[in-house]
Amino acid sequence: MMNYREAREYLDALSKFGSILGLDRMTGLMERLGNPHHNLQFVHVAGTNGKGSVTAMTSSILQASGLKVGRYISPYLEDFTERIAVNSRNISEDRVAQILTRTEPEVEAMARAGQQPTEFEVITAMGFLYFLEERCDIVCLEVGLGGRFDATNVIRDPLVSAITEIGMDHMDRLGKTLGKIAREKAGIIKPGSPVVSAPQKPSALKVLEGTSRKTGSRLFLGGRDITWRERHSGIDGQTVDYAGLLGDYPEVRIPLLGRHQQENAAVALGSVECLLSRGYEVSPKAIYEGFAKTSWPGRLEVMARDPLVVIDGAHNLDGILRLAETVRTVLPHRRLVLVLGVLTDKDVEGMIKALVPVTSYAVTTRPASLRSMDPVTLAGMLGRQGLEAKAIEDIPRALDCALDCAGPEDMVLVAGSIYLAGPARTYLRSKTQELSGTQRIYL
């Protein structure tokens, strides 16, 4: 049997085959493994930004209801085992090795037949096997890329399809217009299954409405069918009144920062209410408790105060715009010191233009990805927008530089890529730093 190190090396080796959209390989692999997904129930979550947050909130509510809940996410923040979890407990390294040991012969047989599965397809298959072995009552399944041809879309009839905000990202794979991207996301809508969507731009909403009509699926829209009113939003979270599909929920406590999480919470609430309509028992108490206990690290996460240190995985223009809005309206600070690292396939110019007005000084660094932009190039782009920036290749050194530049009333913001947020979080959690004469431990 493989050990965990060997399992990770095997999966990493599959990355050379890239990400290939299409369901033929995944369907073939599932058949070889006994179609474990046919014996599971799913909440399927797609979208451009916020799908991880919706997955986390929905999972937390269902777990608070006493259900055994599987959760599948992509990518991970700090540790591979985050990708597959049951009741908020990550899969163990031993189980990763055990399940891949059983899966590997089928993967190799397909490779010999000219149908090589990709890394994402194999990991998704491992998730399905694990959730079935753990006898999960329900699985919250996050789409990897797009929806229509994503490996997770091998499932046949989700209990509910949830779609978060659709924006311009992965245009090389999903299309150059919002309508084309929405068409890919709408691919998770299945005949007869209800759909819950965040508020959408008109061109995206038109696609979702058209697909829902064609499939006979009822579409519930945030801002129309599920409404909310903010009571409070601050550095410790937010309190929101919701009017849902089946009832009112005043003073819902959401620990996640940023007003965009209010929209994501509406999608999670609507999804859970659809499950109520399908016979699942979820009490109002569980809804309140689930929201209050939601944890989604690396997304506007406060790592320290005095100075304020925040990390965020925003990695595309829409996400960065939401981040900049939160910096202006929610996070108290005198000066902002930005640690920025981005991938080359993003709208880097647009991201920079959104961040420069809220930033006093920047340190650029290299995310842990082969697609990362050279920090010197990125610093030059910031400089041309009038912002002083220093390039430091190594993430820990870049963080130390930013912390040295920040006074007690300032904020250090780490942003630009999930592949930067993860390593930054690992370093900050392990670091004890002298700030303003006080020993500060990052948690």
Side-chain angles (χ1 to χ4, degrees):
M1 189 185 88
M2 293 184 186
N3 59 35
Y4 181 68
R5 178 185 58 79
E6 292 167 336
R8 286 302 313 279
E9 289 175 351
Y10 181 84
L11 291 170
D12 288 345
L14 292 178
S15 66
K16 67 185 178 184
F17 299 109
S19 173
I20 307 171
L21 296 178
L23 294 177
D24 289 346
R25 293 176 310 279
M26 190 65 185
T27 299
L29 181 57
M30 289 292 92
E31 289 175 351
R32 287 175 172 271
L33 295 171
N35 288 318
H37 57 305
H38 288 175
N39 296 303
L40 294 165
Q41 300 291 342
F42 295 96
V43 174
H44 204 186
V45 185
T48 302
N49 293 307
K51 58 182 182 288
S53 297
V54 169
T55 300
M57 292 178 189
T58 307
S59 300
S60 185
I61 293 170
L62 296 177
Q63 186 177 335
S65 302
L67 296 171
K68 194 169 189 180
V69 185
R71 186 184 70 196
Y72 183 75
I73 65 168
S74 176
Y76 63 88
L77 183 64
E78 294 181 88
D79 190 277
F80 173 84
T81 60
E82 298 167 20
R83 296 188 66 165
I84 301 169
V86 173
N87 279 3
S88 302
R89 293 180 63 89
N90 297 345
I91 187 173
S92 70
E93 294 182 354
D94 284 345
R95 290 294 292 279
V96 170
Q98 290 169 9
I99 292 174
L100 185 56
T101 296
R102 298 205 315 273
T103 307
E104 183 265 348
E106 307 303 336
V107 174
E108 293 303 308
M110 290 184 66
R112 290 192 294 272
Q115 294 180 309
Q116 173 69 61
T118 66
E119 179 187 23
F120 183 76
E121 288 166 346
V122 174
I123 296 169
T124 304
M126 292 169 61
F128 290 150
L129 287 169
Y130 182 66
F131 297 138
L132 183 61
E133 289 177 3
E134 290 296 305
R135 299 181 180 179
C136 289
D137 297 309
I138 196 166
V139 176
C140 295
L141 184 69
E142 180 187 343
V143 165
L145 178 65
R148 184 163 62 116
F149 292 124
D150 183 78
T152 63
N153 208 30
V154 74
I155 67 172
R156 296 184 296 190
D157 51 351
L159 295 168
V160 58
S161 299
I163 300 179
T164 65
E165 177 194 34
I166 297 173
M168 302 298 288
D169 199 10
H170 300 294
M171 288 88 79
D172 57 326
R173 312 294 302 279
L174 304 180
K176 302 294 185 182
T177 68
L178 198 62
K180 288 181 178 179
I181 293 172
R183 192 166 296 110
E184 296 302 316
K185 309 290 185 182
I188 70 166
I189 299 173
K190 301 296 197 307
S193 295
V195 187
V196 180
S197 171
Q200 303 289 355
K201 297 180 180 69
S203 58
L205 180 58
K206 181 179 179 181
V207 172
L208 297 186
E209 289 175 332
T211 304
S212 297
R213 282 194 300 270
K214 289 177 184 176
T215 56
S217 304
R218 188 169 179 186
L219 172 65
F220 300 102
L221 183 65
R224 182 188 69 192
D225 304 304
I226 308 156
T227 59
W228 60 93
R229 180 176 67 87
E230 176 187 305
R231 281 181 176 249
H232 167 76
S233 181
I235 193 171
D236 295 313
Q238 44 203 319
T239 304
V240 186
D241 295 336
Y242 281 97
L245 305 175
L246 302 176
D248 294 337
Y249 306 87
E251 298 188 57
V252 173
R253 164 76 180 153
I254 303 170
L256 306 182
L257 303 188
R259 290 191 171 95
H260 56 284
Q261 295 294 4
Q262 297 175 16
E263 294 182 7
N264 293 331
V267 176
L269 176 61
S271 298
V272 169
E273 288 186 308
C274 286
L275 296 178
L276 279 164
S277 300
R278 304 196 73 164
Y280 284 80
E281 295 183 5
V282 184
S283 68
K285 179 183 177 182
I287 289 172
Y288 279 94
E289 180 183 337
F291 275 127
K293 290 186 175 179
T294 299
S295 174
W296 193 226
R299 282 73 175 182
L300 277 166
E301 182 181 12
V302 176
M303 301 300 295
R305 306 194 189 201
D306 190 24
L308 183 63
V309 180
V310 177
I311 58 175
D312 189 59
H315 58 277
N316 55 41
L317 180 55
D318 285 340
I320 290 293
L321 288 169
R322 294 294 185 95
L323 172 60
E325 177 192 13
T326 303
V327 167
R328 283 191 295 267
T329 60
V330 176
L331 299 174
H333 63 282
R334 183 176 64 91
R335 296 169 61 252
L336 187 146
V337 180
L338 176 67
V339 179
L340 184 66
V342 300
L343 304 188
T344 55
D345 57 354
K346 304 298 179 182
D347 180 3
V348 180
E349 289 281 1
M351 293 164 68
I352 285 174
K353 288 179 181 178
L355 287 170
V356 164
V358 299
T359 304
S360 302
Y361 180 74
V363 181
T364 60
T365 191
R366 186 181 296 277
S369 169
L370 295 175
R371 294 177 288 141
S372 63
M373 176 172 282
D374 173 54
V376 175
T377 301
L378 182 57
M381 295 174 70
L382 288 165
R384 287 191 290 276
Q385 292 293 326
L387 181 66
E388 183 181 357
K390 181 176 183 179
I392 301 178
E393 185 94 5
D394 180 68
I395 292 173
R397 287 184 53 236
L399 290 168
D400 286 340
C401 177
L403 290 167
D404 289 341
C405 292
E409 297 179 359
D410 296 338
M411 175 169 64
V412 173
L413 175 65
V414 183
S417 173
I418 198 73
Y419 299 104
L420 169 58
R425 188 173 194 268
T426 300
Y427 180 68
L428 290 171
R429 287 198 301 123
S430 67
K431 179 181 175 59
T432 299
Q433 178 77 20
E434 293 287 341
L435 295 177
S436 303
T438 302
Q439 191 176 63
R440 186 76 208 178
I441 299 176
Y442 291 83
L443 301 173

